[in-house]
Amino acid sequence: MNLHLIEPLGFSLDEKSLKRSAVNYIDHCDYEIHDDFQDFLDKNKDGVLQGEIMKKVALITGSSRGIGRAVDQKLAHNGYAVCINCIEREDKAQELVELLTAEGCEAMYFKADVADGNAVREMVKAVEEKLGHVTLLVNNAGIAKQCLFQDMTEEYWRHMFDVNLNGMFNATQAVLPNMLHEHAGCIIN
């Protein structure tokens, strides 16, 4: 099964495209949700917990723009209360919260660095207080630098691993206890 759930539309790997920065790429692409992801949403449209209806709450890391933003919107329009996580673009996160709430969806945002375990635990606590227990975690946060390997600094290498790997670890560790307790939940990496 192809687990590539989301891909940018209209992007080709020509020389001009490769020269664009990652930020420019993320801000100027539209994203399409693959059928595999829609199948997941269809199968999980009714939150059920031990025979009772439960609220569907999604935390999507790194989701104020790009792929994460598309996931936020799709989940919100499929009945999930969503938490938009960002580290830098609070303006984009607030804009998305306003858009989703105007469309009748329940949404919030929280600024937290996923590389910081304490910040992630604070974010999950805030989500639980405002929206309820996280039933779906999408570990979307990630960074990449467009440079030759030999030009990458050791500092950036470590930072990239802190965000891309330790961020996934921190977010999963923060939501997993409740998911295990409730025998319910989903984590997408």
Side-chain angles (χ1 to χ4, degrees):
M1 174 184 251
N2 180 0
L3 294 179
H4 188 173
L5 302 177
I6 303 168
E7 70 180 22
L9 296 173
F11 182 74
S12 62
L13 292 177
D14 58 24
E15 186 176 335
K16 184 178 179 183
S17 297
L18 287 172
K19 289 181 180 177
R20 291 194 296 181
S21 71
V23 170
N24 190 33
Y25 170 69
I26 288 170
D27 284 340
H28 295 97
C29 277
D30 292 321
Y31 292 87
E32 172 183 88
I33 306 297
H34 278 241
D35 291 338
D36 291 343
F37 192 65
Q38 187 61 53
D39 289 345
F40 165 79
L41 293 174
D42 292 342
K43 289 177 187 172
N44 294 283
K45 64 181 172 185
D46 298 318
V48 178
L49 176 62
Q50 297 174 354
E52 297 179 18
I53 301 298
M54 76 176 182
K55 185 175 182 181
K56 299 184 301 181
V57 177
L59 168 59
I60 304 91
T61 64
S63 62
S64 63
R65 56 200 175 102
I67 293 170
R69 183 181 181 99
V71 172
D72 280 326
Q73 291 174 310
K74 189 69 167 182
L75 291 171
H77 293 137
N78 278 274
Y80 281 82
V82 296
C83 177
I84 300 149
N85 163 245
C86 66
I87 188 170
E88 294 175 350
R89 297 300 306 267
E90 281 186 273
D91 59 324
K92 293 286 187 184
Q94 181 61 41
E95 174 187 288
L96 184 55
V97 167
E98 291 169 5
L99 173 71
L100 292 174
T101 54
E103 295 172 343
C105 302
E106 191 173 3
M108 66 174 282
Y109 84 90
F110 197 94
K111 181 179 178 178
D113 182 354
V114 294
D116 179 346
N118 289 328
V120 171
R121 285 186 289 279
E122 288 176 24
M123 174 174 59
V124 169
K125 182 179 178 187
V127 171
E128 290 177 344
E129 289 172 358
K130 184 166 184 175
L131 303 176
H133 290 294
V134 175
T135 59
L136 172 62
L137 169 64
V138 180
N139 283 308
N140 176 69
I143 58 172
K145 186 175 186 176
Q146 291 180 321
C147 69
L148 297 174
F149 184 78
Q150 64 265 25
D151 296 335
M152 187 175 293
T153 65
E154 185 176 336
E155 178 184 359
Y156 186 79
W157 178 259
R158 291 185 192 286
H159 179 63
M160 186 172 61
F161 271 81
D162 280 343
V163 173
N164 297 353
L165 295 177
N166 295 337
M168 182 273 307
F169 173 84
N170 292 334
T172 302
Q173 284 282 322
V175 302
L176 193 58
N178 186 67
M179 288 182 177
L180 292 173
H181 179 265
E182 299 296 338
H183 302 284
C186 181
I187 298 171
I188 299 174
N189 294 316

